[in-house]
Amino acid sequence: MELRALRYYLAVCECGTMSRAAEELHVTQPALSRQIAGLERELGCELLERRSRSVRPTEKGLYLRRRAQEIVGLADQTSADFSHDDDIVAGDIHIGAGESASMRLIAQRVRAFRERYPDVRFHLHSAVATDLVERLEHGLDDLAVLMSYPEDERYSHLRLPLSDAWGVVVREDDPLAAREVISPADLAAGPLVMPERSWTGERLAGPLAAWFGDEGDDVEVAATYNLSFNAALLVQEGVGRMLTLEGLTPAGPGSGLSFRLLYPPAVSIIDVVWKRTATPSRAVRLFLESLRET
């Protein structure tokens, strides 16, 4: 597969019509159609469902779209790494991160780094840990900021001098809103809205499993989530109480929600992780050095 054909295919998927994609690419529509047809012949399947005025990816086309985004992104990043002189710190740094109030430290270091090296551009991608590790594996991100990430010989890591505290978000009319802190027994009976990384489908996992202890054997999980904004809506509608990290969900007067810390305290450590076998760019190496100075 040629990169050009993949770029053309991504443009068609984004634009939704051949004519509009041809305009964006500054090519003729017949030339674009031949590229897409050649790609379909090469792969032996239809990639687009053609309608009278639009096109959309088939199931296999959606798979190719995801892979093409990875391939083209990696190619562009590789080209950028070779496009700058050795005496200039420039280029792109791709950082994947889970939701965490501790990302403020990364943001502060990004600001300071760009004040010194204004030709460096940062790209942030928010996702859950499993997706972030996959992006590291495929070379889509240079670094990942992960909470309570287990040791893995495939990766190097830098531990930040921060941690995130776990708590529970409840409706302000919930009896638990009157408590100062929340114990495992307080949550054992009611339905919970859990981070998906903390629930395997059968049992609790990670720091929350250790915090619940024996009380976690029979917890009722009503829903799981990966990002907290939509999960807070479930709490507001009475679906359950949400376990989350401090500082991620607006709570307090006017929100209809309250946040209470867990007791005994449950915390997640923060690691910056990168692939051990990868060769980081000069910009990435210098940024890591700046993080080590915090």
Side-chain angles (χ1 to χ4, degrees):
M1 287 179 288
E2 295 184 357
L3 275 175
R4 181 175 62 177
L6 294 178
R7 293 185 193 276
Y8 283 6
Y9 177 70
L10 289 175
V12 172
C13 291
E14 181 176 350
C15 293
T17 68
M18 287 286 190
S19 59
R20 193 179 307 160
E23 291 177 4
E24 290 286 334
L25 295 166
H26 304 292
V27 299
T28 65
Q29 186 171 336
L32 176 59
S33 297
R34 285 194 297 271
Q35 286 286 336
I36 300 301
L39 196 56
E40 290 180 320
R41 285 195 302 273
E42 182 179 356
L43 297 176
C45 64
E46 288 190 357
L47 299 172
L48 297 172
E49 180 183 329
R50 292 162 173 83
R51 300 183 173 187
S52 59
R53 295 186 178 180
S54 64
V55 295
R56 68 178 185 181
T58 63
E59 184 174 350
K60 290 185 178 179
L62 288 172
Y63 175 81
L64 177 64
R65 182 180 185 177
R66 290 193 296 270
R67 288 303 188 191
Q69 288 170 336
E70 295 174 0
I71 293 168
V72 170
L74 184 57
D76 289 343
Q77 183 176 339
T78 302
S79 296
D81 289 342
F82 283 91
S83 65
H84 304 288
D85 296 333
D86 290 341
D87 59 343
I88 298 176
V89 179
D92 298 278
I93 298 178
H94 294 256
I95 302 176
E99 283 193 316
S100 167
S102 297
M103 275 298 294
R104 182 172 297 277
L105 173 62
I106 300 295
Q108 292 169 349
R109 301 315 302 165
V110 167
R111 175 188 54 77
F113 194 83
R114 275 190 43 82
E115 288 176 355
R116 185 172 182 181
Y117 305 111
D119 291 326
V120 174
R121 182 182 294 108
F122 287 81
H123 305 273
L124 298 181
H125 179 88
S126 298
V128 296
T130 51
D131 293 338
L132 295 176
V133 171
E134 183 176 356
R135 288 177 63 86
L136 278 181
E137 277 296 307
H138 291 148
L140 298 178
D141 288 330
D142 301 299
L143 308 169
V145 183
L146 302 174
M147 277 64 76
S148 296
Y149 182 71
E151 295 285 346
D152 190 318
E153 62 182 11
R154 296 175 298 171
Y155 303 103
S156 299
H157 76 278
L158 170 65
R159 183 144 296 169
L160 298 181
L162 297 169
S163 62
D164 280 338
W166 285 92
V168 59
V169 173
V170 300
R171 285 166 47 128
E172 61 183 7
D173 59 357
D174 190 306
L176 294 187
R179 305 282 186 89
E180 289 295 325
V181 292
I182 305 300
S183 71
D186 293 329
L187 298 178
L192 300 177
V193 179
M194 297 285 299
E196 60 183 23
R197 67 183 181 276
S198 298
W199 178 251
T200 65
E202 298 178 356
R203 61 180 64 88
L204 295 169
L208 291 180
W211 181 78
F212 270 100
D214 293 339
E215 296 284 357
D217 293 340
D218 299 315
V219 295
E220 177 188 353
V221 176
T224 65
Y225 69 93
N226 64 337
L227 300 176
S228 62
F229 178 84
N230 288 339
L233 300 180
L234 297 179
V235 180
Q236 291 173 338
E237 294 301 321
V239 174
R241 299 156 170 165
M242 179 175 68
L243 276 299
T244 185
L245 296 172
E246 185 177 15
L248 296 185
T249 303
S255 68
L257 300 174
S258 296
F259 177 86
R260 294 294 180 266
L261 288 169
L262 302 184
Y263 187 83
V267 298
S268 288
I269 55 178
I270 313 296
D271 286 320
V272 176
V273 179
W274 62 97
K275 196 173 180 181
R276 191 182 298 272
T277 57
T279 302
S281 66
R282 187 182 181 198
V284 171
R285 293 196 305 271
L286 290 173
F287 184 65
L288 281 171
E289 289 178 12
S290 74
L291 290 177
R292 289 190 177 96
E293 295 171 0
T294 57

